[in-house]
Amino acid sequence: MSTIDWHPEDPATLADPYPVFARMRDEDPCFWSPRLKSWVLTRYDDVKAVCLDKERLSSDRLRPFFASLPPPEAERIGQIIRYLSQWMVFNDPPDHTRLRRLTSRVFHAKSMQAMRPQVADIADWLMDGIGSRTEFDFITDFAGPLPCLVIMALLGVERQELARVKRMSDDMALFIGSSRTSPEKYDTAEAATHEMAGFFRELIEDRRRTPRADLMSELVHLRDDDGDRLTEDELVATCILLLFAGHETTTNHIANGMLALMRFPDQMARLQAEPALANAAVEELLRYDGPSGAQVRIVSQTHELHGKTLEAGQRVFIMLNAANRDPRAYPDPDRVDLDRDGPPHLSFGFGIHICLGFPLARTEGQVAFPALLKRYRAIEPMTTSPAWINSLVFRGMTSLPVRVRHA
Ligand code: HEM
């Protein structure tokens, strides 16, 4: 019987979940959480093995939940069910394989890395907007809008739509980001999904009539060698997924990464002096405090792990951030060290569902951190205890007030 009493929603645990993760890794690596009614895995090797195990674990985690809803409730979130069921991330092979194969023909490393000049332009534009202010909210004014504007540019959505797109995406997060939401939040998320679907349907129709030089046009006109293509609904679902998956995660990467640099000023100074360290910095910051705290799998075949029986149908939380701090994988894991080497971090997941957008996410971090450290001679936090989002899936802050000295 485990003596670990894990309260994921406790503010102190949200602010620093790492001490309890260390206990789980050492004392109970296959921990049963009575609160989540789920298994919780925290060791690097176990988390990676789950990501690679398509036979015994399933990513189809929404269908069982949707199926359990009484008909009136299912109807109430009809749009959410319709589109999210078609997200590759919630599907197993062969549906996942087909969706990922088709989408990757457009969203490949080359097309995403080609966004670098636009990312740099957006970062500069946002810092121009901050102007001569010496105090601002790093999330509201920079880390929040940047990834949203990048995805919008990628999909060919005009910059002036930012506030609307961000609101729709934030409202949808009320369904996805938290497992403990109220019915009113579901209504807001449902309305946002409906609105977003209509928004993308119009955009798709426009690109069908008049293709442009953007990835949205390529996605709409995409055919593979066998003539297969995304259906209209799959197109809408994929656009929503790209916007959603690529947005809050990257915001949190840039904000968590900046907080970590502020807490390890020697490493911030190194990056400032040597911007060529940006690639190493992005990987280390993703490892140190990544934006995806957990992913969920469903046990599809009963099996044993660390002497426990994982029964078919049970839920498993794989704690990516706990795995990334496993001393079995990384020496001195609680330090930010731009010289670190070691196995790849698991912040983008691993295996068939490894983040489709990771080349873009990396590019955004590689551009944003040096650009900020060039524009501002010093950046420091205005609080020692920022507020954290109440979510296991998203690891990020609600705001991060900073004070800067202009270069
Ligand atoms: C630092 C930023 C990001 C992080 C930490 C991140 C993290 C992740 C993780 C952990 C997964 C795997 C989910 C699972 O195993 O169930 C994933 C999947 C995915 N991500 Fe990201 N992501 C980021 C940015 C992006 C961006 C910028 C995009 C799109 C432009 C994107 C699109 C996707 C998609 C489409 C999937 C589903 C892939 C599949 O199921 O095959 N992500 N991401």
PDB file of all heavy atoms in Angstrom, residues 57 233 370:
ATOM      1  N   LEU A  57      -1.550  -0.836 -25.231  1.00  0.00           N
ATOM      2  CA  LEU A  57      -2.081   0.461 -24.782  1.00  0.00           C
ATOM      3  C   LEU A  57      -2.651   1.208 -25.971  1.00  0.00           C
ATOM      4  O   LEU A  57      -2.101   1.168 -27.072  1.00  0.00           O
ATOM      5  CB  LEU A  57      -0.966   1.268 -24.118  1.00  0.00           C
ATOM      6  CG  LEU A  57      -0.556   0.610 -22.789  1.00  0.00           C
ATOM      7  CD1 LEU A  57       0.928   0.566 -22.637  1.00  0.00           C
ATOM      8  CD2 LEU A  57      -1.213   1.315 -21.627  1.00  0.00           C
ATOM      9  N   ASP A 233     -14.894  16.823 -43.291  1.00  0.00           N
ATOM     10  CA  ASP A 233     -14.905  16.830 -41.834  1.00  0.00           C
ATOM     11  C   ASP A 233     -13.506  16.607 -41.264  1.00  0.00           C
ATOM     12  O   ASP A 233     -13.121  17.212 -40.266  1.00  0.00           O
ATOM     13  CB  ASP A 233     -15.832  15.720 -41.299  1.00  0.00           C
ATOM     14  CG  ASP A 233     -17.118  16.319 -40.749  1.00  0.00           C
ATOM     15  OD1 ASP A 233     -17.515  17.410 -41.219  1.00  0.00           O
ATOM     16  OD2 ASP A 233     -17.726  15.686 -39.860  1.00  0.00           O
ATOM     17  N   PRO A 370      16.644  33.716 -28.314  1.00  0.00           N
ATOM     18  CA  PRO A 370      17.715  34.673 -28.650  1.00  0.00           C
ATOM     19  C   PRO A 370      17.176  36.057 -29.007  1.00  0.00           C
ATOM     20  O   PRO A 370      17.793  37.064 -28.668  1.00  0.00           O
ATOM     21  CB  PRO A 370      18.410  34.035 -29.864  1.00  0.00           C
ATOM     22  CG  PRO A 370      17.981  32.627 -29.881  1.00  0.00           C
ATOM     23  CD  PRO A 370      16.656  32.545 -29.206  1.00  0.00           C
TER      24      PRO A 370
END
